[in-house]
């Protein structure tokens, strides 16, 4: 693989269920991010990680959690999904906090 | 906080027309500026970037100049093609990457 891989590609989830979106990068980037994309709102940052072992909250962190146990992986967990979390989720990574970010192909999540 | 405002769409053009998408920003520091493109069903791809004032980013016929005096980074292309139909996002980066709402561009043959 090269770049960023997200899984699953799409998912339909019952409200109240727990779900983890997976993200793996093979570029050895220090920084990783999770965004959600909603029509008319652009991309909004959920959580980010500057380096392995550290995480931070973005603009819309409520209802989501992340972990960064190693450089390559940055999973996003919805502890108890709600319909307002229906969105397309993008994982991204960058060398550091000043350089451009590279994006995965996205996960389309529908919470019903 | 840092923010980006870009021209609302949708924008519909004929092939070979001139395209401009306006983008202005608010930032306390000296951010890097980017344009990303998203083709239907795909993730975002970096189109071009500029890291300091007066820098011009260019790629695939698109250009944008980092104007500190007007806090702008407008995207331009002199002659668009059908394949340029996509959603375009302006973004700035200080310590995190902030995006505009996106502009949908449709180019008709």
């Amino acid at each position: 693989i090269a770049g960023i891989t997200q899984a699953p590609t799409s998912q339909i989830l019952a409200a109240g269920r727990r779900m983890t979106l997976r993200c793996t990068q093979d570029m050895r980037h220090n920084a990783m991010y999770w965004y959600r994309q909603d029509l008319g709102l652009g991309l909004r940052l959920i959580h980010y990680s500057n380096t392995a072992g550290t995480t931070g909250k973005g603009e819309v962190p409520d209802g989501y959690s992340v972990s960064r146990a190693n450089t390559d992986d940055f999973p996003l967990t919805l502890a108890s999904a709600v319909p307002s979390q229906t969105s397309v989720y993008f994982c991204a990574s960058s060398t550091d906090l000043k350089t451009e970010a590279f994006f995965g192909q996205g996960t389309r999540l529908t919470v019903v | 906080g840092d923010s980006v405002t870009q021209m609302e769409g949708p924008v519909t053009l004929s092939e070979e027309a001139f395209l401009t998408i306006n983008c202005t920003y608010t930032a306390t520091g000296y951010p890097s500026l980017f344009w990303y493109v998203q083709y239907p069903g795909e993730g975002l791809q970096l189109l071009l970037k500029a890291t300091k004032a007066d820098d011009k980013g260019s790629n695939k016929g698109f250009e944008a100049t980092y104007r500190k005096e007007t806090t702008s980074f407008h995207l331009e292309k002199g002659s668009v093609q059908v394949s340029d139909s996509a959603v375009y996002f302006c973004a700035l980066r200080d310590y995190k990457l902030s995006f505009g709402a996106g502009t949908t561009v449709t180019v008709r043959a």
Side-chain angles (χ1 to χ4, degrees):
Chain A
I1 58 172
I4 298 180
T5 301
Q6 291 185 236
T9 303
S10 66
Q11 180 76 45
I12 298 173
L13 185 68
R17 297 297 295 270
R18 180 184 179 89
M19 173 78 188
T20 295
L21 308 185
R22 299 184 299 278
C23 175
T24 299
Q25 55 105 356
D26 63 357
M27 298 176 283
R28 308 302 294 173
H29 284 170
N30 288 317
M32 297 187 75
Y33 317 85
W34 275 104
Y35 289 86
R36 59 177 290 173
Q37 183 180 23
D38 302 289
L39 193 63
L41 297 176
L43 281 85
R44 292 179 293 169
L45 182 65
I46 305 171
H47 285 287
Y48 67 96
S49 169
N50 295 344
T51 187
T54 68
T55 63
K57 294 182 179 180
E59 303 168 70
V60 289
D62 294 343
Y64 306 96
S65 63
V66 291
S67 62
R68 187 88 185 275
N70 57 62
T71 297
D72 298 344
D73 301 302
F74 192 45
L76 176 74
T77 298
L78 289 67
S80 179
V82 296
S84 61
Q85 292 177 311
T86 293
S87 187
V88 181
Y89 291 85
F90 288 100
C91 181
S93 71
S94 63
T95 303
D96 55 38
L97 297 181
K98 275 290 189 181
T99 55
E100 64 268 28
F102 295 85
F103 284 78
Q105 292 299 296
T107 294
R108 182 174 294 277
L109 180 67
T110 304
V111 182
V112 298
Chain B
D2 295 352
S3 66
V4 174
T5 302
Q6 69 179 94
M7 177 176 132
E8 289 186 21
V11 175
T12 302
L13 303 164
S14 296
E15 216 166 16
E16 299 183 3
F18 185 87
L19 170 67
T20 299
I21 304 176
N22 290 339
C23 171
T24 57
Y25 68 90
T26 301
T28 53
Y30 300 93
S32 296
L33 300 173
F34 307 90
W35 278 99
Y36 282 84
V37 59
Q38 184 180 32
Y39 299 104
E42 298 185 10
L44 278 73
Q45 303 173 25
L46 178 67
L47 181 59
L48 54 82
K49 67 178 181 180
T51 58
K52 60 183 186 299
D54 300 324
D55 269 2
K56 177 185 281 190
S58 61
N59 186 27
K60 299 182 181 180
F62 290 90
E63 293 184 342
T65 301
Y66 189 161
R67 302 285 188 199
K68 192 169 184 298
E69 64 276 13
T70 54
T71 61
S72 66
F73 192 55
H74 305 321
L75 182 69
E76 297 180 335
K77 185 172 186 181
S79 177
V80 294
Q81 305 300 312
V82 172
S83 57
D84 294 323
S85 298
V87 182
Y88 293 83
F89 292 93
C90 185
L92 75 80
R93 190 194 218 356
D94 202 341
Y95 79 93
K96 66 179 179 73
L97 195 56
S98 300
F99 287 87
T103 302
T104 300
V105 173
T106 302
V107 180
R108 300 174 303 192

